[in-house]
Amino acid sequence: MDPDHLYLTATGRLARRLRHRFRRSRVLEDETAWERPPAVSLNVWLSAAWADAWPERVPAPEPHRINLWRTLSEKIPPPEPLKGGFGIFTLLDETYKTLVRHRIDPKRGAPAPPLVEWRRTISRAFEEALRKDGYFHPAELPLHVRQAIEADRIPCPAKVRLAGFDLPAPLEEDLFALFRMRGNCEHIDDPLSQAAVPRAVALPTREQEVQYLTRCLVEDARSIPLHRIGVVVPDMDGYVGMIEKALAEVTAEVPARGSQWFNMTRGVPLSETALVRAALLPLRFALEGYDRDLFMALLLSPYYGCWQGKRHAIARADRVWRAAAVDSGLGHLMRALKKERPDILEQVRPEPAEHLFSFLERDLETRKEGAFWAGEMNTLWKHLGFPVISDEKDTVDQGHLVSILDIFAAHLSAVLMNGREFLSWLEYLASRTTAQVSASEEAGIQVIGIIESRGLDFERLYLLDMNDGSFPQPARPLPLLDGRERALVQGGTVESQHDFARRSFSRLLRSAEGVILTRAEQEQSKPLTPSPFWPRHAETTGIDIWNDPGPAWSRATWLQAAFRGLGTDIEDTEDPVLPAIAQRDVLSPTQVEAALSCPFRYFVETIAGIEPLDDAGPGIPPRERGIALHRVLSAFTRKIREAGLDVTRERAASREIIESCVDTVLGALSRDPRWVVERERWLELKDSAQPGLLTAWLEKEAEHRLEGWQCVGEEISFQDLKLSDWPFSLRGRIDRIDVSGTGGIACWDYKTGNLPAKADITKAFKAPQLPLYLMAVREGKTRGLDINAGDVTGASAGYVQVKSLREVTFREVPEITASLDEWTAVISRLGELLKEARFPAEPCPFSDVKDPEAVCRGCPVRTVCRKGLQATELPNHEEPDET
């Protein structure tokens, strides 16, 4: 670098890298002093040059611009159905910036749709208002600086070198043209003169792509300085979380003070940080109907010192509120605690917290100046002991939060707003602020985006997500531009995005001697199309960190803990899943079914002990509903038998018993609004035209008993069921057993979801529950039931389905007893596989079915499967079983 030149860069990162490189070169040459060449980003230089000119007008700060768009939108509302909001205000500002940078007048143009005409109208008012206030839009800064240089109010730099400008905006290019005309201006070439020949690797999923990257980075770190390894990610939003998590998992050791193993250029919005989310809880609680969950989040938040040391007791308040079915309302919440647990109420309302309750009772709808609301929040946080700082990140986040309140004092103090609008302003300003702990570019592996990679060089470079749709990116939506304007804007068309990607790809190939391209072949079970820059000859591989973690993933503490729980040392064997560890002596029918559907699923659920969570939703989880119905039906048949009632004739008494069973099973849940609705669905509303679900079942139960059947037991357990050369025994529980007057026996399984097909039981050998029930009865393994089954030839088994009014039935499965010998052989073959601790990701390995991959579509462990998400989702007409 030449100290006589001004180095202007596209990004601040590149400017810092140039200054650091220059400093290192001087140190290596044993220089004791030197003059540092000016190397700054273009935006920094423009701002400094304009400020030195003592201008009459300055760039408008973002809060001032957004508030101006908000004010103008009230006078010039957008066309229906659009409504004003921070989303539309930000879009207006970004659109104005884009048009100005591309030398397009935001205020004028050919006749266009109403939305574009509205943008032009409000842009005229916006520009006029800025001028009256002594401002202009920051996007116009290159134009004003160029005009000032032409008027000799700002000196033109004599020697300029430009770095990292692949496709400068037209307004910037005009400034560069002036530099070239007035003096010596040149672009710095790419770090390497010759492009690298990349290696391309395709993997099944994004998760495996990141796992593969992590493995490679750990191997590279043994021979390459960390800061000389780069990872370029076109879609930072989609990948940065996964990459950060994976790298954190394999870098368990704490690095030396002042350094990091890796450095992410993409921070997170301040609005997503724990500290700021906690800071907004009092306002949200007051404005969102005093929601119980928000109140618990506030009370249990570690950022509030007011409740320190009391949270263990306060957490019990949630049980009180749930039992009382109180979901919202400050008064309701406090009264429930006062009635049931006054001791917890004292913990919730210590003296410092009284300021919170005073704040919650205030009028938040009246508009007041922004300075008033900022002062109220500061006072409230002070009384509640907010924030309690735990680490450097919290300190950084708190600094950003303080700066947001400073913005209110500087730009929004006189703006009238109510409490809801104040919260919206806080959320908006926090979302526009990036929270990131500062780190040097020399700190570690550099994980950067396409723009940030300009001008940088590495020894090893990874380019991820090489799929069409990510590289090149889709055309920018630009909804406030017409077709002519969109064609002139960089990224506004598919062609310009392709041209940008082509230039970026060519530059990246010249930024490192070793370049590795990766892509995922599918996302959410949908195949992905490779990027047009993807080489024809690419490798295809997969990652299986369970059976082959390698040196990289062997460092993951959670994987080490998993194998310690299995009793094996991950570092002592290439195959960590040893037969002695993986073998189980006792299985349940459900575990056998999982192993028959896919041995890998059995491994995940039974050996590794990983269970899928129920989908979060407003209703009752299907599993909870199914368990409750099971208990009701079992309690009913037991009480009927104990009372000696005849269901076929004594319907009223039977109806009373089933209602009492429902109330007993639901218990305190009966006050939960969700279960109130469910109870009405089961027992129907008064004067309802349709019967309840259990009423319909009661009719089917009566028909079943008219055929001569009687229930002799429910929830019958069995154990020690072991036939032939099975390496394990079975234990389980039969939902219900009936006998007939002729001596017949029937085993029943309650189902609140879909029923297995007959072929799945008698031919495909996929659903083992009923055959195992019959085997247990035949072998006399049932407990608490005095039945001499003997030869069960002629015995039966089936399902009692209680799903909906149209699907309430007793459905016997014919020919099931004839398949028991084949079932015994199938389970023996399964036992051999499990005994050898082999768990292939192979659906239906012992079944002759046309489409075994169909099992993968509803598999609960498909997200961790070594095959990846290769199956499509379930069709809409199919539903998973609830029990």
Side-chain angles (χ1 to χ4, degrees), residues 788-810:
N788 183 15
D791 185 5
V792 298
T793 302
S796 60
Y799 298 102
V800 182
Q801 187 180 33
V802 190
K803 181 181 178 182
S804 65
L805 289 178
R806 292 182 298 176
E807 296 173 292
V808 178
T809 183
F810 282 73

Side-chain angles (χ1 to χ4, degrees), residues 622-831:
R623 180 175 176 81
E624 289 185 23
R625 180 187 290 109
I627 291 173
L629 267 175
H630 270 63
R631 291 174 178 172
V632 169
L633 297 177
S634 295
F636 173 78
T637 54
R638 183 174 59 255
K639 287 188 176 184
I640 286 291
R641 184 173 61 257
E642 292 172 351
L645 286 178
D646 186 346
V647 176
T648 61
R649 291 181 295 182
E650 299 175 271
R651 298 295 181 84
S654 299
R655 166 75 186 200
E656 291 179 2
I657 289 179
I658 203 167
E659 287 187 11
S660 69
C661 292
V662 169
D663 292 337
T664 300
V665 169
L666 295 186
L669 292 175
S670 60
R671 285 176 286 185
D672 186 325
R674 300 175 303 167
W675 284 103
V676 170
V677 174
E678 190 64 23
R679 184 183 187 279
E680 294 173 351
R681 175 175 173 260
W682 290 354
L683 299 174
E684 83 254 0
L685 290 167
K686 293 182 179 179
D687 303 324
S688 174
Q690 284 189 325
L693 181 62
L694 292 178
T695 304
W697 174 80
L698 195 58
E699 293 297 322
K700 293 293 183 181
E701 177 73 16
E703 294 175 8
H704 177 66
R705 293 181 182 244
L706 281 174
E707 296 175 356
W709 291 99
Q710 293 295 324
C711 178
V712 295
E714 50 279 307
E715 305 288 337
I716 304 106
S717 62
F718 64 89
Q719 60 183 6
D720 298 328
L721 176 61
K722 187 173 183 179
L723 302 179
S724 185
D725 53 351
W726 295 1
F728 51 76
S729 64
L730 289 167
R731 67 181 176 189
R733 188 171 55 191
I734 304 171
D735 285 348
R736 170 173 172 171
I737 292 182
D738 291 0
V739 297
S740 68
T742 59
I745 300 174
C747 298
W748 299 99
D749 189 46
Y750 288 124
K751 286 290 184 183
T752 53
N754 293 332
L755 300 182
K758 172 192 170 185
D760 289 347
I761 303 171
T762 59
K763 295 182 179 179
F765 304 103
K766 293 165 58 179
Q769 277 188 311
L770 294 183
L772 291 176
Y773 291 171
L774 287 175
M775 292 180 191
V777 171
R778 181 182 65 184
E779 298 298 320
K781 300 298 183 179
T782 55
R783 303 177 63 183
L785 191 64
D786 186 16
I787 292 180
N788 183 15
D791 185 5
V792 298
T793 302
S796 60
Y799 298 102
V800 182
Q801 187 180 33
V802 190
K803 181 181 178 182
S804 65
L805 289 178
R806 292 182 298 176
E807 296 173 292
V808 178
T809 183
F810 282 73
R811 182 170 298 177
E812 181 182 338
V813 180
E815 304 175 10
I816 189 171
T817 55
S819 66
L820 295 184
D821 290 341
E822 292 181 81
W823 267 110
T824 301
V826 167
I827 296 176
S828 295
R829 293 166 58 197
L830 173 66

Side-chain angles (χ1 to χ4, degrees), residues 572-648:
D572 289 344
T573 175
E574 296 180 357
D575 184 8
V577 186
L578 300 176
I581 302 303
Q583 187 175 348
R584 292 293 185 268
D585 295 330
V586 182
L587 298 181
S588 68
T590 301
Q591 292 170 338
V592 171
E593 183 172 2
L596 289 172
S597 67
C598 178
F600 182 72
R601 174 184 172 183
Y602 166 84
F603 168 77
V604 172
E605 294 182 337
T606 304
I607 306 301
I610 301 175
E611 297 182 2
L613 293 173
D614 289 329
D615 292 336
I620 302 169
R623 180 175 176 81
E624 289 185 23
R625 180 187 290 109
I627 291 173
L629 267 175
H630 270 63
R631 291 174 178 172
V632 169
L633 297 177
S634 295
F636 173 78
T637 54
R638 183 174 59 255
K639 287 188 176 184
I640 286 291
R641 184 173 61 257
E642 292 172 351
L645 286 178
D646 186 346
V647 176
T648 61

Side-chain angles (χ1 to χ4, degrees), residues 357-614:
F357 291 92
S358 299
F359 174 82
L360 296 175
E361 294 171 358
R362 293 179 184 174
D363 177 18
L364 301 180
E365 298 301 327
T366 302
R367 285 192 165 189
K368 299 179 182 179
E369 292 182 343
F372 167 82
W373 294 110
E376 284 290 291
M377 287 307 298
N378 263 324
T379 303
L380 177 60
W381 288 334
K382 181 178 179 180
H383 279 84
L384 297 182
F386 176 90
V388 177
I389 301 298
S390 61
D391 55 19
E392 180 186 0
K393 185 178 186 306
D394 284 345
T395 302
V396 172
D397 295 343
Q398 182 195 14
H400 287 309
L401 184 59
V402 171
S403 69
I404 287 178
L405 295 182
D406 291 341
I407 289 174
F408 268 89
H411 304 292
L412 302 170
S413 60
V415 176
L416 294 177
M417 60 186 73
N418 58 28
R420 195 173 303 278
E421 291 168 333
F422 174 67
L423 175 61
S424 297
W425 268 111
L426 287 177
E427 291 176 334
Y428 171 76
L429 293 174
S431 69
R432 303 288 288 180
T433 304
T434 299
Q436 186 177 23
V437 178
S438 61
S440 167
E441 281 75 12
E442 303 295 318
I445 297 169
Q446 306 294 301
V447 183
I448 52 182
I450 293 290
I451 301 298
E452 292 85 357
S453 67
R454 291 174 174 175
L456 302 182
D457 65 293
F458 302 93
E459 288 187 37
R460 183 69 50 80
L461 180 69
Y462 294 87
L463 177 56
L464 272 60
D465 198 21
M466 284 290 291
N467 282 307
D468 191 23
S470 296
F471 196 84
Q473 291 279 324
R476 297 164 61 186
L478 305 173
L480 301 184
L481 273 63
D482 63 18
R484 183 191 65 84
E485 293 168 335
R486 192 176 294 110
L488 298 175
V489 169
Q490 181 179 311
T493 63
V494 174
E495 292 78 11
S496 66
Q497 286 286 50
H498 185 276
D499 185 46
F500 175 79
R502 178 181 57 79
R503 291 171 180 254
S504 299
F505 187 65
S506 176
R507 170 177 53 79
L508 289 170
L509 293 183
R510 287 178 168 81
S511 62
E513 295 182 358
V515 178
I516 295 91
L517 315 177
T518 67
R519 62 175 289 262
E521 295 181 316
Q522 55 186 318
E523 180 182 10
Q524 295 181 349
S525 304
K526 298 179 180 178
L528 297 174
T529 305
S531 165
F533 308 104
W534 183 253
R536 291 186 178 181
H537 303 290
E539 306 173 28
T540 300
T541 188
I543 295 293
D544 179 10
I545 61 176
W546 281 104
N547 283 321
D548 182 21
W553 283 101
S554 296
R555 301 164 61 92
T557 55
W558 63 268
L559 194 61
Q560 292 176 358
F563 284 106
R564 280 197 299 270
L566 296 174
T568 186
D569 187 348
I570 192 172
E571 297 179 355
D572 289 344
T573 175
E574 296 180 357
D575 184 8
V577 186
L578 300 176
I581 302 303
Q583 187 175 348
R584 292 293 185 268
D585 295 330
V586 182
L587 298 181
S588 68
T590 301
Q591 292 170 338
V592 171
E593 183 172 2
L596 289 172
S597 67
C598 178
F600 182 72
R601 174 184 172 183
Y602 166 84
F603 168 77
V604 172
E605 294 182 337
T606 304
I607 306 301
I610 301 175
E611 297 182 2
L613 293 173
D614 289 329

